[in-house]
Amino acid sequence: MRRLSEIHAAESVSCLNKALNELKDIWEEIGIPEDQRLQRTDAVHMHIKKLLDMMIAEEEGLKKRLLSSIETCRKEVASLCNELQVQEYQEEDGLTMLQLEKDLRTQVKMMVKEKSARQSELKSLIQQDQDLCDILCDDLFPIHPERVPSEQQLQDYRQHINTRNQEKERRHAEFVEMKRQITVLMADLEQHPDTSFEKDAVCEDEDAFCLSVENLSSLKVLLHQLDSRKVESEALCVSIRGRIAELWEMLQIPEEERQRESLMQNTHTSTKSRLNALQAALQRLEELKKKSIERVIHTIRSEIVKFWEKCYYSPEQRQAFTPYHSDDLDEEVLREHELELERLKQDYAEHSELYDAVSTWSSNWTLYQELEKKATDPSRFNNRGGNLLKEEKQRVDLQKSLPKLEKSLKAQIDQWEATHCKEFHVNGQPFLQYVEGQWNRHHMEKEREKQERQMKKMKQTEEDLLYGTIIRTPTKRRLAGTPTPGKTRKVLTAYLCARTPARGRTPRGLERNKENIAHLSGALRTMAASPQINYSITSVASSYSEFAVRSLSCSLDAQAADVIK
């Protein structure tokens, strides 16, 4: 199938031939000679030829321009691909020069536009980065400002800027919070910004402050310093308050004056003002203390004695503090007493756990001793309120728990001694030695009381045998036919009155009884002096005394009956 351009070319040749024929006809009609026809035909030919040559030249020029443009566009595309860091442009096959040139020009325009957009975005990102670096005092993103960035580089740069913005917000919030705390602390401490850095941080606009890592670190240091000063001031206030309270007690300041002074101190809002007020109050009390040294020393001595007891100081340890026994009460002695009291307080505070444990043991030990004494008291059976059973149960529980408590205390003391590399003393002795001594004294006291009871019972038995009286326990039954002590005494009295002669001689029967009584008393004294029979003296003395009294009573009854007859 013929192309449309070929048809148009054939039509052009036909039109040209038609025009030449028409010219030929005109020339014939006019009668132009043959030679002039040839000239005119050559002129037409030359004219057409020039026109066609001119047209061909123009089209050739167009072809050259197209080729040149194509070459130029190819170079620009290659250069842009290199700058934009993209793959080389691939031309389509089968394109005419016009299509190829148009595609290349379009590609160039697109790549130039992309290049311009990247450069514009890069410039904007660099500006943002510069602003952030000025605020954060950081380094710029590592990218060449004159080169066209790749898409990945731009993406990384955007992410970097986003991260920097987040860091800016975080640092700014941290700065604002620290600035608020610093402002509050400075107001509380009545302190003003001294250095240029402190003025920039506290007094200047928040957005103008450089949020560098160094500046924030310096702010943290400043905040920590101010906070430490406040803590120190508050601790000093607490210490001064404690000292003031001690001086109030020493000087016996009235409660109304104490409350008034406390109210005045609490009216101050800042820590600095409160500290100044407390220091002024302390100075007044110290001056008042100097004027009342003797009374204050005696008050401190009472406190020292309390802590000696809390810390279980032995008499030797107490005697070692010689100013306590001094009669020359001056400022030096007062100072030594204050130092000793402070040392004792510190000692008790450091070892309070052990001292409290020892105190618990001492309380249980004292209670146990009291219950032990009650257990040996005969009057305890008169109790009708149920306390006897309760006390006995408590005594048994303490008897079991005391060794466990001592064992636990030993473990604590061993650990304490390993830590402090010294022995833990109670009343001048190692604790276990002290406990062992307490138990030994307790056992010795029990044994002594037992011996006293035995001796008292033996003595009572002797008196009963000597004077004819005996105290029987309520649990003993009287034997049938045995006269009561009262009756025996009455009969004995009547008998003595009836048989006693005027010259005051003793009847023979009574003399015989006296001999028996003297013999029995001697036997009892021998038994008391013999340590081998201490364990059975009560039972022996009891049975023998009953037998002796019963025999004596029967003898006296018989003699009294003879008198009556």
PDB file of all heavy atoms in Angstrom, residues 62 471 518 547:
ATOM      1  N   LEU A  62      17.018  20.998   8.391  1.00  0.00           N
ATOM      2  CA  LEU A  62      16.181  20.458   9.464  1.00  0.00           C
ATOM      3  C   LEU A  62      16.715  19.115   9.947  1.00  0.00           C
ATOM      4  O   LEU A  62      16.758  18.837  11.145  1.00  0.00           O
ATOM      5  CB  LEU A  62      14.745  20.309   8.951  1.00  0.00           C
ATOM      6  CG  LEU A  62      13.745  19.665   9.898  1.00  0.00           C
ATOM      7  CD1 LEU A  62      13.634  20.461  11.200  1.00  0.00           C
ATOM      8  CD2 LEU A  62      12.397  19.496   9.223  1.00  0.00           C
ATOM      9  N   ILE A 471       3.141 -25.521 163.869  1.00  0.00           N
ATOM     10  CA  ILE A 471       2.255 -24.977 162.832  1.00  0.00           C
ATOM     11  C   ILE A 471       2.080 -26.035 161.787  1.00  0.00           C
ATOM     12  O   ILE A 471       3.042 -26.478 161.164  1.00  0.00           O
ATOM     13  CB  ILE A 471       2.832 -23.697 162.215  1.00  0.00           C
ATOM     14  CG1 ILE A 471       3.023 -22.639 163.293  1.00  0.00           C
ATOM     15  CG2 ILE A 471       1.929 -23.195 161.098  1.00  0.00           C
ATOM     16  CD1 ILE A 471       3.667 -21.373 162.809  1.00  0.00           C
ATOM     17  N   ALA A 518      15.911 -31.077 174.832  1.00  0.00           N
ATOM     18  CA  ALA A 518      17.300 -30.658 174.585  1.00  0.00           C
ATOM     19  C   ALA A 518      18.005 -31.666 173.716  1.00  0.00           C
ATOM     20  O   ALA A 518      18.767 -31.319 172.809  1.00  0.00           O
ATOM     21  CB  ALA A 518      18.026 -30.488 175.922  1.00  0.00           C
ATOM     22  N   PHE A 547       6.442 -36.831 165.639  1.00  0.00           N
ATOM     23  CA  PHE A 547       6.581 -37.937 166.589  1.00  0.00           C
ATOM     24  C   PHE A 547       6.952 -37.409 167.981  1.00  0.00           C
ATOM     25  O   PHE A 547       6.376 -37.821 169.004  1.00  0.00           O
ATOM     26  CB  PHE A 547       7.643 -38.911 166.092  1.00  0.00           C
ATOM     27  CG  PHE A 547       8.039 -39.938 167.125  1.00  0.00           C
ATOM     28  CD1 PHE A 547       7.199 -41.020 167.440  1.00  0.00           C
ATOM     29  CD2 PHE A 547       9.247 -39.820 167.799  1.00  0.00           C
ATOM     30  CE1 PHE A 547       7.574 -41.941 168.380  1.00  0.00           C
ATOM     31  CE2 PHE A 547       9.596 -40.748 168.755  1.00  0.00           C
ATOM     32  CZ  PHE A 547       8.774 -41.819 169.051  1.00  0.00           C
TER      33      PHE A 547
END
